[in-house]
């Protein structure tokens, strides 16, 4: 396994969005925001705005922010009590899908799995 910065991965952003805003901001401000690619977000306010969008829409999209050529989409894994206990994602090569199509193509299936897991997680 490997560790990647939460602020520039789809699963990381889903997990940050599950935190109270104050806690998410503290983690962002304590993070190394050195860009991984030219598309990486490095401004804490920009990252917090994106986390707010993730919180509102219930999923995160990443377009080559962690690695050139990689796009991904993630949803939170919820317990039966609506507590975020993890994240589920799908990644594709940037040549296969445009970023706008990720949600259209993969989000319904991710949400189906998300709903199934929620039924069995206490």
């Amino acid at each position: 396994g490997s560790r990647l910065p939460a602020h520039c991965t789809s699963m990381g952003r889903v997990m940050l969005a599950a935190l109270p805003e104050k806690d998410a901001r503290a983690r962002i401000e304590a993070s190394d925001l050195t860009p991984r690619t030219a598309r990486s977000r490095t401004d804490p306010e920009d990252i917090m705005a994106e986390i707010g969008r993730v919180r509102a829409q219930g999923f995160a999209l990443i377009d080559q922010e962690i690695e050139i050529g990689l796009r991904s989409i993630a949803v939170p894994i919820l317990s039966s009590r609506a507590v975020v206990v993890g994240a589920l994602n799908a990644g594709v090569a940037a040549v296969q899908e445009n970023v706008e199509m990720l949600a259209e193509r993969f989000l319904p299936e991710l949400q189906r799995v998300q709903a199934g897991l929620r039924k069995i997680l206490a």
Side-chain angles (χ1 to χ4, degrees), residues 89-112:
N89 85 323
V92 299
V95 296
Q96 293 176 325
E97 297 287 335
N98 66 46
V99 72
E100 295 81 19
M101 295 302 291
L102 278 177
E104 184 178 317
R105 184 166 179 203
F106 294 99
L107 186 57
E109 195 62 23
L110 287 170
Q111 290 171 326
R112 185 186 69 73

Side-chain angles (χ1 to χ4, degrees), residues 8 36-40 62-73 89-99 102 106:
C8 59
R36 302 284 297 233
T37 75
R39 294 175 175 254
S40 297
I62 298 296
D63 186 10
Q64 303 180 77
E65 292 183 51
I66 190 70
E67 182 180 325
I68 293 298
L70 177 66
R71 293 185 175 124
S72 66
I73 183 171
N89 85 323
V92 299
V95 296
Q96 293 176 325
E97 297 287 335
N98 66 46
V99 72
L102 278 177
F106 294 99

Side-chain angles (χ1 to χ4, degrees), residues 78-80 113-122:
L78 304 165
S79 72
S80 59
V113 173
Q114 176 190 49
L117 289 171
R118 186 172 182 174
K119 291 177 184 175
I120 62 172
L121 294 174

